[in-house]
Each structure stands twice: as C-alpha cells, then as structure tokens.
Amino acid sequence: MTLEGMSWASWTTAGVYTGRGGVLTVEGGIVTGDLTVHTTFADGEARVAVQYSGASDWFTMSGSPVPCPSEEESRELHDAVVEAVREGGGAVVPRLPHPTV
C-alpha cells in the first residue's frame, strides 16, 4: 500500500436540490428535495451519503462505496455526485470518466 492510499479526506455540500426522480439510496429508496451530500475518502475508497438538509439520518447513496485511488479523484467524484443529485432520475454514484486504477 502506498502512502497516498493511507490518506483521508471528506467533503460536504449542503443545499443540493434533487432533480425530478431524486437520488437512489440503499436504506431509504428514492429521496428527493433539499439534500446534503457527503463524501469520505479513505484507504483507496470513497463512500457517499446523503441526508435531508437539517436532519440527522444519513442514507448511503446507491453505488457507494467506489474504488478511488487518490484524494484528488475523490474530490472529482464528490463534484460529479453533486451534479448527479441535481440531475435526479434516481441518481446513483457516477463513475469518473477516466480509469481509477
């Protein structure tokens, strides 16, 4: 394991309104409305969760966790997740356009 694989980071974006069809979650099915999106990167993997803004319960976004080899790529993934949530349509964690190997 590289030192890079041992780093940790997280990002949170509040006030993300879902597009029609919302976001698909593991625990809650489809969630819609004003959400907070949270991505945690550790040990070569990114975990994505959403919650209704201001609530305490988090829901794992379908497709999470995903392999992610670097902190920089996990930031790109977080940005892509926020865009997917805004698009709706039963959004799941997107794959980055380039290989994450």
Side-chain angles (χ1 to χ4, degrees), residues 11-80:
W11 294 273
T12 303
T13 304
V16 182
Y17 289 86
T18 63
R20 172 172 278 187
V23 175
L24 182 59
T25 68
V26 173
E27 303 87 353
I30 296 288
V31 295
T32 61
D34 180 5
L35 301 180
T36 297
V37 179
H38 182 77
T39 303
T40 303
F41 166 73
D43 299 326
E45 150 178 297
R47 295 181 176 273
V48 181
V50 297
Q51 75 176 172
Y52 290 105
S53 293
S56 59
D57 293 332
W58 287 94
F59 300 98
T60 304
M61 193 165 168
S62 187
S64 175
V66 295
C68 198
S70 71
E71 181 177 327
E72 293 79 19
E73 287 184 66
S74 67
R75 176 61 201 205
E76 290 175 29
L77 177 68
H78 177 79
D79 291 342

